Amino acid sequence: MDSTAWDDRYAATDLVWSAGPNATVAALVESRPPGRALDLAAGEGRNALWLAQRGWDVTAVDFSAVAIERTDQLADERLGADRDRLRSLVADVLRWEPPPAAYDLVLVVFLHLSAPDLTVVHRRAATALAPGGLLVVLAHDRSNLDGGYGGPQDRAVLPTPADVVADLQGTGLVVQRSDVIKRGVDVGAEVHHARDCLVVATRPDATSERRGDRPSGPAG
């Protein structure tokens, strides 16, 4: 889908996604001290807004002007005197290049593109990560087609953890976690389970290098 199609989708309803942050993102980040964060393909800004409310200085990027307008509206409503903690940008993450080593946290959450395009985004996300920073990549896993619920039905845009880890090879990041995780999805009175691809990686700082941490190879 191009940006116009996403503009139409966002314009058709008050919120396409939930008002709160993704639960996996929240669990991974909530204990980290606030710093500078980048949310790539941020949508309506649910993760970016949550981070800003917790003291992070956040840049939210999405190619849908309607989504970014909604992010700005929600930021006006929720952040009050801290409104300047969130900056938004209408840009295609395939063309926009973030500044190198500028962020303590980079999120790539439910961005589904062809494998070559995802590689570009993942490697740029890695480049944007400062020493000591955390990269979180979360997507519908390829196995969700056969064993999960919802999500894109095109195998070509569904990664596996091994795919993401391969994208990060040579970037200097250390992979901390590489898993397929289950996520509950409420559908009426029933609960279904989606299967998500999760990769968490860090860029070593001077302390971790002294401990002997090294960039990781493929993980299962």
Side-chain angles (χ1 to χ4, degrees), residues 104-179:
D104 306 298
L105 173 68
V106 179
L107 301 179
V108 184
V109 178
F110 294 120
L111 174 63
H112 292 279
L113 302 169
S114 66
D117 287 343
L118 267 181
T119 298
V120 170
V121 175
H122 292 158
R123 294 186 71 82
R124 285 182 179 166
T127 299
L129 201 64
L134 186 75
L135 170 66
V136 177
V137 178
L138 180 67
H140 296 284
D141 188 76
R142 193 171 301 154
S143 65
N144 195 62
L145 280 176
D146 302 318
Y149 178 84
Q153 299 300 295
D154 181 358
R155 184 175 297 272
V157 301
L158 295 172
T160 68
D163 294 333
V164 179
V165 171
D167 289 346
L168 300 178
Q169 288 295 298
T171 64
L173 300 195
V174 174
V175 175
Q176 292 187 328
R177 184 172 177 185
S178 173
D179 295 317

Side-chain angles (χ1 to χ4, degrees), residues 38-43 59-63 68 88-93 96:
L38 173 64
D39 189 359
L40 292 170
T59 299
V61 182
D62 200 279
F63 73 168
I68 289 298
S88 61
L89 177 65
V90 179
D92 187 338
V93 295
W96 182 73

